[in-house]
Amino acid sequence: MAIRKKLTILGSGSAGLTAAIYAARANLEPLVIQGLQAGGQLTITSDVENFPGFPNGILGPELMEEMHKQAERFGTQFIYDNAESIDLTKRPFTIRTSSEEIVTDTLIIGTGASAKLLGLDSESKLMGHGVSACATCDGFFFRDKTVFVVGGGDTALEEATFLTRFASSVTVIHRRDGFRASAIMVDRAKQNPKVKFILNSVIDEILDVSKGEVTGIKVRNIITNEVQELPADGVFIAIGHQPTTDLFKGQIELTETGYVVTDGVKTSVKGVFAAGDVQDELYRQAITAAGTGCMAALEAQWLIENEELEEHDKEKKTLVSPVANQS
Ligand code: NDP
């Protein structure tokens, strides 16, 4: 039998769990469909130094565990599964996971975003065999090794600095000579004697697929077109993220880059709200995701309460009108 809910939340990152805390405290008994990467992107981060309230920083996985406990404490239910299909064409909405059907009056989309890849054949073949999209998860395996980090944003620079804890040499490969990363991150990486930079360059190939491990890379300077082959033990891809919105394509308005279009946190479908990275191409911070998660829960709560009031008024009118007719 289908699970009937007033509010369902898709995703268990900072946005989804904050929404759950607010909704549970409003007695909405929300259901969180956690996704198979429960806890979202912060679970693959090391130190979080910019989430207010933690002057000494907190580990990403620990922060998410605390949020989960806080949501659970007020009565949030969790399903540890991905949503496989969703029907937003009529309310209540229907969501299917591999084993459950959920029928819900309102929905908060907090499905976040996932790591973008270069698209090289060798990259996909060597993923998990020296190629990684998560320094925090895999850095430990590269003790005293030579590694490369691709990208010029905060993630790439943060990962490069983090990897110096393990690797003997870390080289950032970036396709431009200007960085998207904040100045403090760039300075921190530049001041680290283990970090080197190869700029205006891209990786053409990761070697060696035939050996089933990373032994080197072919790097091309995009200005001179010169290609050099460098020995490598690991390659970390840190070139940004793709919003997780495939399930909603054709059902709600999305931007050209696939983010959910929102007005505040309202989407183009009444009763569907979006929070966190899935609707935020600009800020993409744990704290902004938490903020929009809170907003989405409040919007869902207000909609549910208004509709319940309207329903109540309708019932009252139906009860009152026969008496009114008699007088
Ligand atoms: P960004 O989108 O900010 O940066 C992606 C980087 O990858 C850019 O330098 C981009 O190059 C490069 N890139 C993109 N596609 C390719 C490609 N196909 N080949 C080669 N290079 C490519 O993503 P981030 O993940 O770095 O950051 C996302 C957000 O998270 C940002 O808002 C950031 O500030 C935040 N963040 C904050 C942290 C903190 O505060 N501690 C830590 C990590 C992230 P180009 O510049 O040329 O476009």
Side-chain angles (χ1 to χ4, degrees), residues 41 45 47-50 116-119 150-159 173-182 185 188 201-203 237-241 259 277 281-285:
Q41 285 184 71
T45 314
D47 298 320
V48 178
E49 295 176 336
N50 51 12
K116 277 190 199 164
L117 297 174
L118 299 174
V150 187
D154 278 329
T155 304
L157 277 287
E158 187 179 67
E159 294 204 340
I173 298 181
H174 181 35
R175 63 183 177 184
R176 295 190 286 136
D177 59 2
F179 289 96
R180 191 176 292 271
S182 49
M185 293 285 197
R188 203 179 284 177
S201 297
V202 293
I203 293 187
I237 314 295
I239 59 168
H241 291 86
Y259 287 81
D277 288 10
E281 204 168 353
L282 181 62
Y283 302 108
R284 295 179 289 185
Q285 300 300 303

Short mmCIF file of all heavy atoms in Angstrom, two decimals, residues 41 45 47-50 116-119 150-159 173-182 185 188 201-203 237-241 259 277 281-285, ligand 1:
data_model
loop_
_atom_site.label_atom_id
_atom_site.label_comp_id
_atom_site.label_asym_id
_atom_site.label_seq_id
_atom_site.Cartn_x
_atom_site.Cartn_y
_atom_site.Cartn_z
N GLN A 41 26.64 16.10 -0.44
CA GLN A 41 28.05 16.39 -0.74
C GLN A 41 28.93 16.61 0.49
O GLN A 41 30.13 16.40 0.43
CB GLN A 41 28.13 17.63 -1.62
CG GLN A 41 27.74 17.36 -3.04
CD GLN A 41 27.95 18.60 -3.86
OE1 GLN A 41 29.07 18.99 -4.12
NE2 GLN A 41 26.86 19.24 -4.23
N THR A 45 33.31 15.66 2.17
CA THR A 45 34.15 16.83 2.44
C THR A 45 34.92 16.58 3.73
O THR A 45 34.44 15.82 4.57
CB THR A 45 33.27 18.08 2.69
OG1 THR A 45 32.27 18.10 1.71
CG2 THR A 45 34.05 19.37 2.66
N ASP A 47 37.17 19.11 6.44
CA ASP A 47 36.81 20.15 7.40
C ASP A 47 35.85 21.16 6.79
O ASP A 47 36.10 21.67 5.71
CB ASP A 47 38.07 20.90 7.84
CG ASP A 47 39.05 19.98 8.53
OD1 ASP A 47 38.59 19.13 9.30
OD2 ASP A 47 40.26 20.10 8.28
N VAL A 48 34.78 21.45 7.52
CA VAL A 48 33.91 22.55 7.12
C VAL A 48 34.21 23.69 8.09
O VAL A 48 33.98 23.57 9.29
CB VAL A 48 32.42 22.14 7.20
CG1 VAL A 48 31.52 23.30 6.81
CG2 VAL A 48 32.16 20.94 6.31
N GLU A 49 34.76 24.76 7.54
CA GLU A 49 35.21 25.85 8.42
C GLU A 49 34.31 27.07 8.37
O GLU A 49 34.54 28.04 9.08
CB GLU A 49 36.64 26.28 8.01
CG GLU A 49 37.67 25.19 8.22
CD GLU A 49 39.05 25.61 7.73
OE1 GLU A 49 39.14 26.50 6.85
OE2 GLU A 49 40.02 25.03 8.23
N ASN A 50 33.30 27.00 7.46
CA ASN A 50 32.50 28.21 7.27
C ASN A 50 31.04 28.02 7.64
O ASN A 50 30.20 28.83 7.29
CB ASN A 50 32.63 28.69 5.81
CG ASN A 50 32.36 27.58 4.82
OD1 ASN A 50 31.87 26.53 5.20
ND2 ASN A 50 32.67 27.82 3.56
N LYS A 116 31.01 16.75 -11.81
CA LYS A 116 31.17 16.70 -13.28
C LYS A 116 32.48 15.99 -13.60
O LYS A 116 33.44 16.11 -12.84
CB LYS A 116 31.27 18.12 -13.84
CG LYS A 116 29.97 18.80 -14.06
CD LYS A 116 30.26 20.07 -14.84
CE LYS A 116 29.14 21.06 -14.73
NZ LYS A 116 29.54 22.39 -15.16
N LEU A 117 32.51 15.33 -14.73
CA LEU A 117 33.74 14.64 -15.14
C LEU A 117 34.22 15.20 -16.47
O LEU A 117 33.47 15.89 -17.18
CB LEU A 117 33.47 13.14 -15.23
CG LEU A 117 33.08 12.48 -13.89
CD1 LEU A 117 32.69 11.03 -14.08
CD2 LEU A 117 34.22 12.60 -12.87
N LEU A 118 35.47 14.87 -16.84
CA LEU A 118 36.04 15.42 -18.08
C LEU A 118 35.41 14.78 -19.32
O LEU A 118 35.41 15.38 -20.39
CB LEU A 118 37.55 15.18 -18.10
CG LEU A 118 38.35 15.82 -16.96
CD1 LEU A 118 39.81 15.37 -17.01
CD2 LEU A 118 38.27 17.34 -17.07
N GLY A 119 34.96 13.54 -19.18
CA GLY A 119 34.36 12.85 -20.31
C GLY A 119 35.35 12.01 -21.10
O GLY A 119 35.05 11.57 -22.22
N VAL A 150 42.46 18.46 -11.25
CA VAL A 150 41.99 19.26 -12.39
C VAL A 150 40.92 20.24 -11.93
O VAL A 150 39.96 19.83 -11.26
CB VAL A 150 41.39 18.35 -13.49
CG1 VAL A 150 41.05 19.17 -14.73
CG2 VAL A 150 42.34 17.23 -13.83
N GLY A 151 41.08 21.52 -12.29
CA GLY A 151 40.07 22.53 -11.96
C GLY A 151 40.72 23.78 -11.40
O GLY A 151 41.88 23.76 -10.97
N GLY A 152 39.94 24.87 -11.39
CA GLY A 152 40.48 26.13 -10.89
C GLY A 152 39.52 26.82 -9.94
O GLY A 152 39.63 28.01 -9.67
N GLY A 153 38.56 26.04 -9.41
CA GLY A 153 37.59 26.61 -8.46
C GLY A 153 38.00 26.30 -7.02
O GLY A 153 39.08 25.73 -6.78
N ASP A 154 37.16 26.69 -6.08
CA ASP A 154 37.46 26.46 -4.66
C ASP A 154 37.67 24.98 -4.36
O ASP A 154 38.54 24.63 -3.57
CB ASP A 154 36.30 26.98 -3.79
CG ASP A 154 36.40 28.49 -3.58
OD1 ASP A 154 37.53 29.00 -3.55
OD2 ASP A 154 35.36 29.14 -3.45
N THR A 155 36.88 24.13 -4.99
CA THR A 155 37.01 22.70 -4.71
C THR A 155 38.41 22.21 -5.10
O THR A 155 39.08 21.54 -4.32
CB THR A 155 35.94 21.89 -5.49
OG1 THR A 155 34.66 22.41 -5.14
CG2 THR A 155 36.01 20.42 -5.17
N ALA A 156 38.86 22.57 -6.31
CA ALA A 156 40.17 22.11 -6.78
C ALA A 156 41.28 22.59 -5.86
O ALA A 156 42.16 21.83 -5.47
CB ALA A 156 40.40 22.61 -8.21
N LEU A 157 41.22 23.86 -5.48
CA LEU A 157 42.28 24.42 -4.65
C LEU A 157 42.24 23.85 -3.24
O LEU A 157 43.27 23.54 -2.64
CB LEU A 157 42.16 25.96 -4.61
CG LEU A 157 42.78 26.72 -5.80
CD1 LEU A 157 44.29 26.71 -5.72
CD2 LEU A 157 42.38 26.18 -7.16
N GLU A 158 41.03 23.65 -2.74
CA GLU A 158 40.88 23.06 -1.40
C GLU A 158 41.39 21.61 -1.42
O GLU A 158 42.11 21.18 -0.52
CB GLU A 158 39.41 23.10 -0.98
CG GLU A 158 39.21 22.66 0.45
CD GLU A 158 37.75 22.72 0.87
OE1 GLU A 158 36.95 21.93 0.34
OE2 GLU A 158 37.41 23.55 1.71
N GLU A 159 41.02 20.88 -2.47
CA GLU A 159 41.44 19.49 -2.55
C GLU A 159 42.96 19.38 -2.71
O GLU A 159 43.59 18.50 -2.15
CB GLU A 159 40.72 18.78 -3.71
CG GLU A 159 39.22 18.67 -3.44
CD GLU A 159 38.54 17.54 -4.17
OE1 GLU A 159 39.11 17.06 -5.18
OE2 GLU A 159 37.45 17.15 -3.75
N ILE A 173 46.03 21.32 -12.39
CA ILE A 173 45.99 21.59 -13.83
C ILE A 173 44.72 22.39 -14.10
O ILE A 173 43.61 21.93 -13.79
CB ILE A 173 45.95 20.27 -14.64
CG1 ILE A 173 47.23 19.48 -14.36
CG2 ILE A 173 45.80 20.55 -16.14
CD1 ILE A 173 47.33 18.18 -15.12
N HIS A 174 44.90 23.58 -14.65
CA HIS A 174 43.73 24.44 -14.88
C HIS A 174 43.75 24.97 -16.32
O HIS A 174 44.82 25.31 -16.84
CB HIS A 174 43.74 25.59 -13.87
CG HIS A 174 42.58 26.51 -13.99
ND1 HIS A 174 41.32 26.09 -14.35
CD2 HIS A 174 42.50 27.87 -13.81
CE1 HIS A 174 40.51 27.13 -14.39
NE2 HIS A 174 41.19 28.22 -14.06
N ARG A 175 42.57 25.05 -16.90
CA ARG A 175 42.49 25.40 -18.33
C ARG A 175 42.71 26.88 -18.63
O ARG A 175 42.79 27.27 -19.80
CB ARG A 175 41.16 24.94 -18.90
CG ARG A 175 39.94 25.60 -18.28
CD ARG A 175 38.67 25.02 -18.86
NE ARG A 175 37.48 25.57 -18.24
CZ ARG A 175 36.26 25.16 -18.52
NH1 ARG A 175 36.07 24.18 -19.39
NH2 ARG A 175 35.22 25.71 -17.93
N ARG A 176 42.76 27.70 -17.57
CA ARG A 176 43.02 29.14 -17.78
C ARG A 176 44.20 29.55 -16.91
O ARG A 176 44.73 28.72 -16.16
CB ARG A 176 41.82 29.96 -17.32
CG ARG A 176 40.58 29.75 -18.10
CD ARG A 176 39.54 30.78 -17.73
NE ARG A 176 38.91 30.56 -16.43
CZ ARG A 176 38.68 31.52 -15.55
NH1 ARG A 176 39.09 32.75 -15.79
NH2 ARG A 176 38.08 31.26 -14.40
N ASP A 177 44.55 30.84 -16.95
CA ASP A 177 45.58 31.27 -15.99
C ASP A 177 44.97 32.10 -14.87
O ASP A 177 45.66 32.53 -13.95
CB ASP A 177 46.75 32.00 -16.67
CG ASP A 177 46.29 33.23 -17.42
OD1 ASP A 177 45.08 33.52 -17.38
OD2 ASP A 177 47.13 33.90 -18.03
N GLY A 178 43.66 32.32 -14.92
CA GLY A 178 42.94 32.99 -13.83
C GLY A 178 42.12 31.95 -13.07
O GLY A 178 41.68 30.97 -13.68
N PHE A 179 41.94 32.18 -11.79
CA PHE A 179 41.22 31.19 -10.99
C PHE A 179 39.81 31.65 -10.66
O PHE A 179 39.58 32.83 -10.39
CB PHE A 179 41.97 30.91 -9.68
CG PHE A 179 43.23 30.14 -9.91
CD1 PHE A 179 44.45 30.80 -10.02
CD2 PHE A 179 43.20 28.76 -10.04
CE1 PHE A 179 45.62 30.09 -10.26
CE2 PHE A 179 44.36 28.04 -10.27
CZ PHE A 179 45.57 28.71 -10.38
N ARG A 180 38.89 30.71 -10.64
CA ARG A 180 37.54 30.98 -10.18
C ARG A 180 37.52 30.95 -8.64
O ARG A 180 36.65 31.53 -8.01
CB ARG A 180 36.62 29.89 -10.76
CG ARG A 180 35.15 30.14 -10.60
CD ARG A 180 34.39 29.03 -11.30
NE ARG A 180 34.55 29.10 -12.75
CZ ARG A 180 33.77 29.79 -13.56
NH1 ARG A 180 32.76 30.46 -13.06
NH2 ARG A 180 33.99 29.81 -14.85
N ALA A 181 38.47 30.24 -8.07
CA ALA A 181 38.52 30.06 -6.61
C ALA A 181 38.73 31.40 -5.91
O ALA A 181 39.28 32.34 -6.48
CB ALA A 181 39.66 29.12 -6.26
N SER A 182 38.31 31.46 -4.64
CA SER A 182 38.50 32.68 -3.86
C SER A 182 40.00 32.88 -3.57
O SER A 182 40.77 31.92 -3.49
CB SER A 182 37.71 32.60 -2.55
OG SER A 182 37.96 31.37 -1.91
N MET A 185 41.87 30.82 -0.95
CA MET A 185 42.14 29.41 -1.31
C MET A 185 43.36 29.34 -2.23
O MET A 185 44.20 28.45 -2.10
CB MET A 185 40.94 28.81 -2.05
CG MET A 185 39.72 28.66 -1.21
SD MET A 185 39.91 27.28 -0.09
CE MET A 185 38.22 27.03 0.35
N ARG A 188 46.48 30.06 -0.20
CA ARG A 188 46.82 28.93 0.67
C ARG A 188 47.53 27.83 -0.14
O ARG A 188 48.53 27.27 0.29
CB ARG A 188 45.53 28.38 1.29
CG ARG A 188 45.78 27.62 2.57
CD ARG A 188 44.49 27.11 3.17
NE ARG A 188 43.71 28.15 3.83
CZ ARG A 188 42.51 27.94 4.38
NH1 ARG A 188 41.96 26.75 4.33
NH2 ARG A 188 41.85 28.92 4.98
N SER A 201 46.09 24.64 -19.43
CA SER A 201 46.32 23.26 -19.89
C SER A 201 45.16 22.34 -19.53
O SER A 201 44.43 22.58 -18.56
CB SER A 201 47.59 22.71 -19.24
OG SER A 201 48.70 23.47 -19.65
N VAL A 202 45.03 21.29 -20.34
CA VAL A 202 43.97 20.29 -20.10
C VAL A 202 44.57 18.89 -20.20
O VAL A 202 45.60 18.69 -20.86
CB VAL A 202 42.81 20.42 -21.12
CG1 VAL A 202 42.05 21.72 -20.95
CG2 VAL A 202 43.31 20.28 -22.55
N ILE A 203 43.91 17.94 -19.55
CA ILE A 203 44.36 16.55 -19.67
C ILE A 203 43.70 15.94 -20.91
O ILE A 203 42.48 15.96 -21.03
CB ILE A 203 43.99 15.74 -18.41
CG1 ILE A 203 44.80 16.24 -17.21
CG2 ILE A 203 44.26 14.24 -18.63
CD1 ILE A 203 44.63 15.41 -15.95
N ILE A 237 39.50 14.80 -10.12
CA ILE A 237 38.71 15.70 -10.97
C ILE A 237 37.87 16.60 -10.06
O ILE A 237 37.08 16.10 -9.25
CB ILE A 237 37.77 14.90 -11.91
CG1 ILE A 237 38.50 13.72 -12.57
CG2 ILE A 237 37.10 15.81 -12.94
CD1 ILE A 237 39.60 14.08 -13.53
N ALA A 238 38.05 17.92 -10.20
CA ALA A 238 37.34 18.87 -9.33
C ALA A 238 36.86 20.04 -10.18
O ALA A 238 37.30 21.18 -10.01
CB ALA A 238 38.26 19.33 -8.22
N ILE A 239 35.98 19.73 -11.14
CA ILE A 239 35.60 20.76 -12.12
C ILE A 239 34.13 21.18 -11.98
O ILE A 239 33.52 21.67 -12.93
CB ILE A 239 35.88 20.28 -13.56
CG1 ILE A 239 35.11 18.99 -13.87
CG2 ILE A 239 37.38 20.10 -13.78
CD1 ILE A 239 35.12 18.62 -15.34
N GLY A 240 33.58 21.01 -10.80
CA GLY A 240 32.22 21.49 -10.59
C GLY A 240 31.21 20.36 -10.55
O GLY A 240 31.58 19.18 -10.54
N HIS A 241 29.98 20.76 -10.55
CA HIS A 241 28.90 19.80 -10.30
C HIS A 241 27.73 19.97 -11.25
O HIS A 241 27.54 21.03 -11.84
CB HIS A 241 28.44 19.94 -8.85
CG HIS A 241 29.50 19.47 -7.91
ND1 HIS A 241 30.51 20.30 -7.49
CD2 HIS A 241 29.74 18.25 -7.38
CE1 HIS A 241 31.34 19.61 -6.72
NE2 HIS A 241 30.89 18.37 -6.64
N TYR A 259 19.36 23.39 -13.65
CA TYR A 259 18.96 23.73 -12.27
C TYR A 259 17.45 24.01 -12.23
O TYR A 259 16.87 24.48 -13.22
CB TYR A 259 19.73 24.96 -11.77
CG TYR A 259 21.18 24.64 -11.45
CD1 TYR A 259 22.14 24.60 -12.46
CD2 TYR A 259 21.59 24.36 -10.16
CE1 TYR A 259 23.47 24.29 -12.18
CE2 TYR A 259 22.91 24.05 -9.87
CZ TYR A 259 23.85 24.02 -10.88
OH TYR A 259 25.15 23.70 -10.59
N ASP A 277 21.54 23.15 -3.51
CA ASP A 277 22.32 23.24 -4.76
C ASP A 277 21.51 22.93 -6.02
O ASP A 277 21.89 23.37 -7.10
CB ASP A 277 23.52 22.28 -4.71
CG ASP A 277 24.58 22.76 -3.75
OD1 ASP A 277 24.31 23.71 -2.99
OD2 ASP A 277 25.69 22.19 -3.75
N GLU A 281 22.75 27.91 -8.55
CA GLU A 281 23.96 27.78 -9.36
C GLU A 281 25.04 28.74 -8.86
O GLU A 281 26.20 28.62 -9.22
CB GLU A 281 23.60 28.11 -10.81
CG GLU A 281 24.55 27.48 -11.78
CD GLU A 281 24.06 27.54 -13.22
OE1 GLU A 281 22.91 27.96 -13.46
OE2 GLU A 281 24.85 27.17 -14.10
N LEU A 282 24.65 29.68 -8.00
CA LEU A 282 25.58 30.76 -7.64
C LEU A 282 26.28 30.54 -6.31
O LEU A 282 27.51 30.49 -6.24
CB LEU A 282 24.79 32.09 -7.62
CG LEU A 282 25.59 33.34 -7.30
CD1 LEU A 282 26.67 33.56 -8.36
CD2 LEU A 282 24.67 34.54 -7.24
N TYR A 283 25.52 30.39 -5.24
CA TYR A 283 26.15 30.38 -3.90
C TYR A 283 26.66 29.00 -3.52
O TYR A 283 27.77 28.85 -3.02
CB TYR A 283 25.17 30.92 -2.86
CG TYR A 283 24.70 32.31 -3.16
CD1 TYR A 283 23.40 32.55 -3.59
CD2 TYR A 283 25.57 33.39 -3.05
CE1 TYR A 283 22.97 33.84 -3.89
CE2 TYR A 283 25.16 34.68 -3.34
CZ TYR A 283 23.85 34.89 -3.76
OH TYR A 283 23.44 36.16 -4.05
N ARG A 284 25.81 27.97 -3.66
CA ARG A 284 26.18 26.57 -3.46
C ARG A 284 26.93 26.30 -2.17
O ARG A 284 27.95 25.62 -2.15
CB ARG A 284 26.99 26.08 -4.67
CG ARG A 284 26.18 26.06 -5.93
CD ARG A 284 26.97 25.59 -7.11
NE ARG A 284 27.95 26.55 -7.54
CZ ARG A 284 28.71 26.43 -8.61
NH1 ARG A 284 28.62 25.35 -9.35
NH2 ARG A 284 29.57 27.36 -8.96
N GLN A 285 26.48 26.85 -1.10
CA GLN A 285 27.12 26.64 0.20
C GLN A 285 26.21 25.81 1.10
O GLN A 285 24.99 25.84 0.97
CB GLN A 285 27.39 28.00 0.87
CG GLN A 285 28.30 28.90 0.07
CD GLN A 285 29.66 28.27 -0.17
OE1 GLN A 285 30.36 27.90 0.76
NE2 GLN A 285 30.03 28.12 -1.43
P1 NDP B 1 33.31 25.86 -9.84
O1 NDP B 1 32.22 25.77 -10.83
O2 NDP B 1 33.42 27.06 -8.98
O3 NDP B 1 34.72 25.67 -10.57
C1 NDP B 1 34.90 24.66 -11.52
C2 NDP B 1 36.30 24.80 -12.08
O4 NDP B 1 36.54 23.72 -12.98
C3 NDP B 1 36.50 26.09 -12.86
O5 NDP B 1 37.77 26.61 -12.60
C4 NDP B 1 36.36 25.63 -14.31
O6 NDP B 1 37.16 26.38 -15.20
C5 NDP B 1 36.89 24.23 -14.27
N1 NDP B 1 36.26 23.38 -15.28
C6 NDP B 1 34.94 23.21 -15.53
N2 NDP B 1 34.74 22.33 -16.52
C7 NDP B 1 35.97 21.94 -16.91
C8 NDP B 1 36.41 21.03 -17.91
N3 NDP B 1 35.58 20.34 -18.67
N4 NDP B 1 37.76 20.87 -18.05
C9 NDP B 1 38.63 21.55 -17.27
N5 NDP B 1 38.26 22.40 -16.31
C10 NDP B 1 36.94 22.61 -16.13
O7 NDP B 1 33.14 24.53 -8.95
P2 NDP B 1 33.72 24.19 -7.51
O8 NDP B 1 33.31 22.80 -7.29
O9 NDP B 1 35.15 24.51 -7.39
O10 NDP B 1 32.94 25.16 -6.50
C11 NDP B 1 31.52 25.10 -6.46
C12 NDP B 1 31.02 26.06 -5.36
O11 NDP B 1 31.36 25.57 -4.06
C13 NDP B 1 31.63 27.44 -5.48
O12 NDP B 1 30.66 28.38 -5.17
C14 NDP B 1 32.69 27.44 -4.41
O13 NDP B 1 32.96 28.73 -3.92
C15 NDP B 1 32.09 26.56 -3.33
N6 NDP B 1 33.11 25.90 -2.51
C16 NDP B 1 33.44 26.49 -1.31
C17 NDP B 1 34.39 25.93 -0.50
C18 NDP B 1 34.68 26.58 0.81
O14 NDP B 1 34.19 27.64 1.07
N7 NDP B 1 35.46 25.97 1.68
C19 NDP B 1 35.10 24.69 -0.87
C20 NDP B 1 34.70 24.16 -2.15
C21 NDP B 1 33.74 24.75 -2.93
P3 NDP B 1 36.81 27.92 -15.55
O15 NDP B 1 37.18 28.70 -14.34
O16 NDP B 1 37.66 28.17 -16.72
O17 NDP B 1 35.34 27.93 -15.87
#
